[in-house]
């Protein structure tokens, strides 16, 4: 199965959809596909007319991947067929925070192929295992799944006839499962299996009434979602890194000892990329330098469900070099609006202004935490897309950024850096950030 193409197409889709909702709910959906239709051929899955995953055979369950919440047009075709030759298709709205299994059920012979959308809750999976069960055999009476060492799950009807998708949280350990009919007779068994904390186990009863079978799919939820034992760290956190220290060399950036970005030069601002939330040790080294000889080591906190600028500021020579964070506006500009953001990276107690068309647009921005109440050095405003002459003023200096034609739903970052005596600017423009780089 070409997993790489699945991930690539999903990333392409992400670039077209705004990432952050206006509420605090995560806007990420974790999605996988399960082929549970016994007589259906291997299938391809199309999302919004683009092939997303190829050649999924009966009994196969894909890995989870992350997708931005929203409505999508889904089509299932025989492998190699075009989207116009769909066996079935539908529109489905994916909700942020969901873990979604898209299951192909039914039979070709009875002309009742269908897609079932099964949503599970894996937020408690950090310290325990979760077992989810699907009954996907048409014309078979309800079954009961009985794990040893614990109570049986409720009786389970065929999923295509309003059957439920059942889940049970179990303490990690060894389990065998007996799948029984309504009379308590054993139909199928799952041999002793080690259930691990942080993982989810899908048990699907599939096949036909004459030849039922059981499949088990395992997903490491903690690894997929970045969960930790003391926090649900599922987050739409995005970061970008900027090097604004005029006296610092090209640097590598480390987070908790792991290389985050390398060869970051003065004035460089990276694309946005996902990062975990939490408090971390951050270090700057010379390019290809060692952590033992770091130019700077400190702590930063990255907040969940945010967009954060991670910036190197200060001077090497007076040991004021540091890494600071600035929280960016995480709601996309809408209705023909554009966003202009301003970051003050000149080590100083002077306040800097940003002017647009000879009028003050952003006033009195201080260097990050230069004094009590100074803030993080970052301010943004939304205004109608159009042409603006941008000028930076501060510390007795005037810097002309230039005449900028701003676009709808785009974001423009103006950074003032350097020194009070010789300030300079950087202009970074781009679309509102999405889930991936």
């Amino acid at each position: 199965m070409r997993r790489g193409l699945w991930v690539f197409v999903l990333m392409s889709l992400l670039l077209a959809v705004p990432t952050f909702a206006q509420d605090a709910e995560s806007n990420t959906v974790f999605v996988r596909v399960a082929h549970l239709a016994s007589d259906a051929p291997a299938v391809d899955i199309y999302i919004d007319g683009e092939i997303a995953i190829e050649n999924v055979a009966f009994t196969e369950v894909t890995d989870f991947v992350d997708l931005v919440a929203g409505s999508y047009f889904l089509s299932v075709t025989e492998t190699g067929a075009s989207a116009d030759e769909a066996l079935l298709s539908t529109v489905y709205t994916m909700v942020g925070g969901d873990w979604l299994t898209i299951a192909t059920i039914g039979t070709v012979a009875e002309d009742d192929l269908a897609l079932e959308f099964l949503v599970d809750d894996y937020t408690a999976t950090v310290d325990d295992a979760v077992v989810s069960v699907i009954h996907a055999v048409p014309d078979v009476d309800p079954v009961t799944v009985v794990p040893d060492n614990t109570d049986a799950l409720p009786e389970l009807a065929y999923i295509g006839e309003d059957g439920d998708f059942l889940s049970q949280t179990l303490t990690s350990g060894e389990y065998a499962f007996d799948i029984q009919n309504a009379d308590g007779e054993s139909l199928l068994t799952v041999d002793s299996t080690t259930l691990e904390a942080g993982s989810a186990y899908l048990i699907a009863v599939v096949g036909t009434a004459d030849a039922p079978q059981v499949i088990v799919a395992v997903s490491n939820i903690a690894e997929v979602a970045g969960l930790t034992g003391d926090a649900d760290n599922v987050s739409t956190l995005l970061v970008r890194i900027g090097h604004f220290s005029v006296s610092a060399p090209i640097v590598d950036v480390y987070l908790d000892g792991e290389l985050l970005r390398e060869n970051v030069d003065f004035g460089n601002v990276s694309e946005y990329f996902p990062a975990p939330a939490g408090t971390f040790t951050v270090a700057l080294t010379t390019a290809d330098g060692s952590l033992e000889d770091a130019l700077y080591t400190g702590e930063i906190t990255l907040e969940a469900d945010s967009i954060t600028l991670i910036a190197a500021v200060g001077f090497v020579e007076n040991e004021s070099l540091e890494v600071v964070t600035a929280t960016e506006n995480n709601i996309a500009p809408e209705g023909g609006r554009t966003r202009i953001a301003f970051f003050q990276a000149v080590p100083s107690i002077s306040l800097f202004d940003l002017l647009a068309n000879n009028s003050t647009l952003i006033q009195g921005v201080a260097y990050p935490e230069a004094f009590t109440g100074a803030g993080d050095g970052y301010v943004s405003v939304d205004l109608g897309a159009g042409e603006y002459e941008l000028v930076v003023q501060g510390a007795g200096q005037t810097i002309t950024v230039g005449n900028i034609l701003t676009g709808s739903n785009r974001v423009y970052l103006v950074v003032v850096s350097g020194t009070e005596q010789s300030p300079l600017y950087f202009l970074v423009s781009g679309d509102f950030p999405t889930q991936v780089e």
Side-chain angles (χ1 to χ4, degrees):
M1 189 183 306
R2 293 173 59 185
R3 307 278 185 196
L5 181 60
W6 169 231
V7 175
F8 171 78
V9 172
L10 285 178
M11 286 182 173
S12 301
L13 290 169
L14 294 176
L15 292 173
V17 183
T19 301
F20 293 94
Q22 294 192 24
D23 58 25
E25 183 181 10
S26 168
N27 210 29
T28 301
V29 187
F30 295 98
V31 183
R32 66 180 171 185
V33 175
H35 187 338
L36 309 181
S38 61
D39 69 343
V43 298
D44 297 339
I45 310 296
Y46 285 78
I47 298 181
D48 285 350
E50 298 290 335
I51 193 165
I53 186 168
E54 295 179 277
N55 199 28
V56 187
F58 172 55
T59 74
E60 280 195 284
V61 180
T62 70
D63 296 329
F64 278 108
V65 294
D66 56 287
L67 184 63
V68 169
S71 295
Y72 295 94
F73 186 78
L74 306 174
S75 300
V76 179
T77 72
E78 185 172 353
T79 293
S82 69
D84 296 333
E85 302 171 288
L87 299 171
L88 64 159
S89 58
T90 189
V91 174
Y92 184 78
T93 299
M94 301 180 188
V95 178
D98 280 354
W99 291 81
L100 175 66
T101 299
I102 303 175
T104 303
I105 65 165
T107 63
V108 173
E110 296 297 326
D111 194 27
D112 59 1
L113 279 180
L115 288 179
E116 284 287 336
F117 297 89
L118 312 172
V119 176
D120 218 325
D121 180 4
Y122 292 138
T123 56
T125 311
V126 179
D127 301 313
D128 295 297
V130 173
V131 175
S132 302
V133 184
I134 302 173
H135 174 359
V137 185
D139 302 321
V140 168
D141 291 337
V143 300
T144 301
V145 176
V146 183
D148 58 8
N149 306 321
T150 189
D151 295 333
L153 275 67
E155 190 176 71
L156 193 66
Y158 172 55
I159 193 69
E161 297 174 352
D162 298 322
D164 292 323
F165 175 50
L166 299 180
S167 294
Q168 177 76 47
T169 299
L170 298 176
T171 304
S172 58
E174 293 285 332
Y175 293 86
F177 297 88
D178 190 26
I179 298 158
Q180 302 174 355
N181 63 18
D183 297 325
E185 298 170 339
S186 180
L187 300 175
L188 299 163
T189 60
V190 177
D191 294 336
S192 183
T193 301
T194 300
L195 304 187
E196 298 182 352
S199 290
Y201 299 79
L202 174 66
I203 298 177
V205 183
V206 300
T208 65
D210 295 330
Q213 56 184 296
V214 62
I215 60 174
V216 179
V218 184
S219 297
N220 188 325
I221 299 303
E223 182 177 297
V224 172
L227 298 176
T228 66
D230 55 6
D232 56 351
N233 203 21
V234 182
S235 165
T236 49
L237 168 65
L238 292 175
V239 300
R240 59 176 167 175
I241 295 174
H243 182 341
F244 307 129
S245 170
V246 67
S247 66
I250 298 173
V251 297
D252 293 342
V253 183
Y254 287 82
L255 204 63
D256 275 359
E258 299 293 331
L259 183 63
L260 191 63
R261 280 293 185 273
E262 59 183 343
N263 295 324
V264 184
D265 202 353
F266 175 59
N268 284 172
V269 179
S270 75
E271 298 294 329
Y272 289 97
F273 56 95
T279 299
F280 305 93
T281 298
V282 62
L284 301 177
T285 72
T286 56
D288 299 321
S290 67
L291 283 171
E292 290 77 12
D293 299 320
L295 299 169
Y296 169 82
T297 301
E299 280 193 349
I300 59 171
T301 297
L302 302 177
E303 300 290 342
D305 303 309
S306 71
I307 303 178
T308 299
L309 172 66
I310 301 174
V313 298
F315 300 128
V316 173
E317 54 271 21
N318 66 2
E319 298 184 349
S320 67
L321 176 68
E322 62 177 330
V323 174
V324 299
T325 60
T327 301
E328 304 189 52
N329 190 337
N330 67 359
I331 301 173
E334 298 177 347
R337 308 282 283 175
T338 195
R339 176 166 301 144
I340 297 179
F342 184 46
F343 184 67
Q344 206 292 75
V346 177
S348 168
I349 60 171
S350 297
L351 303 180
F352 281 74
D353 302 333
L354 180 66
L355 283 65
N357 295 346
N358 297 316
S359 296
T360 301
L361 183 66
I362 297 173
Q363 185 173 28
V365 181
Y367 183 71
E369 301 177 0
F371 48 83
T372 302
D376 60 12
Y378 178 99
V379 179
S380 68
V381 296
D382 290 0
L383 63 166
E387 196 167 341
Y388 296 94
E389 180 75 23
L390 300 180
V391 173
V392 176
Q393 291 183 345
Q397 307 286 344
T398 297
I399 310 165
T400 300
V401 176
N403 196 51
I404 309 300
L405 180 61
T406 64
S408 176
N409 307 115
R410 289 176 62 81
V411 179
Y412 300 81
L413 172 65
V414 179
V415 179
V416 59
S417 183
T419 67
E420 281 192 325
Q421 295 73 32
S422 301
L424 46 84
Y425 76 89
F426 303 106
L427 175 65
V428 181
S429 64
D431 293 323
F432 183 78
T434 54
Q435 267 302 87
V436 294
E437 187 175 354

